[in-house]
Amino acid sequence: MIRSMTGYGLAEGTVGTSRVVVDVRTVNHRFFSPSIKLPGAFGRWETDVREAMRLTVARGHVTLSARSERLADAPASIDEARFSAIADQLKALVQRHGLSGGVDLASVLRMPDVLSASRDDEDTGTVAELLRIVDAALEALQRARSEEGERLAAVLHQRLDLVEAALGRIAARAPERIVAHRDRLRESVRELAAGVAIDESRLAQEIAILADRMDVAEELDRFRSHLVAFRAALNDSGGEPVGKRLGFLLQEMLRETNTTGSKAADAPILHEVVGLKEELERIREQVENLE
């Protein structure tokens, strides 16, 4: 399945007496790397959230953040002990530093944990309620990753067309280059012999050895087989994520490209090899962002 490792998902719902918004975003990473930020009341459910993420996302750095706010009709209360302590601290600071303005009610109520849900009626909800929101956010994330993956696959197919065209030009040039080297070798031997009789069978043997050393047919055949497998993986609409498989096939194509270049001894083929490596490097950058 072609999915990008870059994506974003958002979902919201109710957990107990709180409205909860969950957003999930992913970026490129070789492995599954989760980061979770939950409100304090939901901290005990982090393991469950992590498992839900692991079951959905195979690769990528995944950041999940949840924020909650008390529903408008949820009962609230003031922690009078904390209110009194904070008010005393603020008054002391005002006097100590000679500040103006004094301490008002709004300033104290804005301090953490002064105003909260009533302990008698407080309902932090259940892990199932939270996971329903998390699953919805992950589903939205996967849709975004799949859409981006389809766009990347289209780009990769275009680049593979360029690679295939370069292979065709190398395949057409390869036999011409061997014939040219054979003719140059014959001419050089005749010039060096300067009228001395030449052992034609020996010369033919050396030409055959040279042709074998310069032959890149096997490299091109293996390259084409990797190219076919690469395209098949891109067209796979189901199953496991294919990012790692594509990375392996790309590595093998680069290996055949390097071998072809080392055996070429021919300017036109070397020019094509350089272009091939540049195109494969562009493909690698795209593949690294696939799950």
Side-chain angles (χ1 to χ4, degrees):
M1 181 177 294
I2 303 300
R3 275 197 295 260
S4 170
M5 277 193 281
T6 301
Y8 177 79
L10 178 72
E12 62 180 80
T14 301
V15 180
T17 56
S18 297
R19 174 181 172 272
V20 177
V21 178
V22 173
D23 70 73
V24 192
R25 60 195 69 203
T26 56
V27 294
N28 181 18
H29 196 279
R30 292 181 61 191
F31 308 103
F32 171 64
S33 173
S35 175
I36 303 172
K37 300 175 183 177
L38 299 176
F42 303 155
R44 63 187 185 278
W45 298 328
E46 181 173 331
T47 299
D48 301 277
V49 172
R50 185 185 303 272
E51 180 64 11
M53 295 165 64
R54 187 189 66 81
L55 292 175
T56 303
V57 181
R59 296 175 65 201
H61 181 75
V62 194
T63 301
L64 182 145
S65 299
R67 59 186 184 276
S68 65
E69 57 183 31
R70 187 171 49 83
L71 296 173
D73 57 352
S77 66
I78 297 175
D79 186 334
E80 293 192 26
R82 182 164 179 77
F83 183 98
S84 177
I86 290 177
D88 290 342
Q89 290 176 356
L90 291 177
K91 288 177 182 178
L93 289 172
V94 168
Q95 294 174 359
R96 186 181 310 150
H97 297 286
L99 302 176
S100 61
V103 178
D104 59 21
L105 176 64
S107 299
V108 180
L109 289 178
R110 282 197 296 267
M111 300 302 290
D113 299 327
V114 172
L115 184 65
S116 63
S118 172
R119 294 188 181 277
D120 294 334
D121 298 306
E122 184 177 10
D123 178 12
T124 58
T126 65
V127 65
E129 290 177 316
L130 177 61
L131 289 180
R132 275 196 293 271
I133 305 172
V134 168
D135 289 340
L138 289 170
E139 184 179 346
L141 168 75
Q142 290 299 74
R143 285 197 301 270
R145 283 157 59 103
S146 294
E147 292 169 359
E148 177 67 13
E150 291 178 3
R151 290 189 286 270
L152 287 176
V155 172
L156 286 172
H157 274 300
Q158 294 173 359
R159 296 205 177 282
L160 291 176
D161 290 341
L162 297 176
V163 168
E164 202 161 17
L167 283 183
R169 291 191 293 270
I170 293 175
R173 172 60 186 168
E176 298 173 357
R177 174 225 21 199
I178 292 177
V179 171
H181 275 273
R182 180 200 63 190
D183 293 343
R184 281 199 298 271
L185 178 61
R186 285 184 180 277
E187 184 62 29
S188 296
V189 169
R190 288 194 177 93
E191 290 178 0
L192 290 172
V196 177
I198 300 173
D199 185 344
E200 291 294 336
S201 63
R202 177 62 177 172
L203 179 58
Q205 183 180 13
E206 291 298 326
I207 291 174
I209 293 173
L210 175 65
D212 183 66
R213 288 176 179 172
M214 297 175 65
D215 186 19
V216 295
E218 289 186 10
E219 286 76 16
L220 296 180
D221 286 343
R222 286 194 293 268
F223 197 119
R224 289 191 185 97
S225 70
H226 298 323
L227 198 57
V228 169
F230 198 102
R231 286 190 185 276
L234 282 179
N235 293 329
D236 185 11
S237 59
E240 296 297 319
V242 297
K244 290 184 179 180
R245 193 193 326 167
L246 294 178
F248 168 76
L249 291 170
L250 182 62
Q251 180 180 348
E252 293 303 304
M253 285 189 277
L254 282 166
R255 188 194 311 276
E256 302 304 338
T257 301
N258 288 329
T259 304
T260 299
S262 66
K263 295 174 70 173
D266 180 74
I269 290 182
L270 285 174
H271 175 75
E272 294 292 347
V273 165
V274 170
L276 255 181
K277 293 175 73 172
E278 291 176 352
E279 200 59 48
L280 290 174
E281 179 61 25
R282 296 187 186 100
I283 292 175
R284 183 189 64 78
E285 293 174 358
Q286 301 288 346
V287 167
E288 285 184 348
N289 199 42
L290 292 177
E291 185 181 32

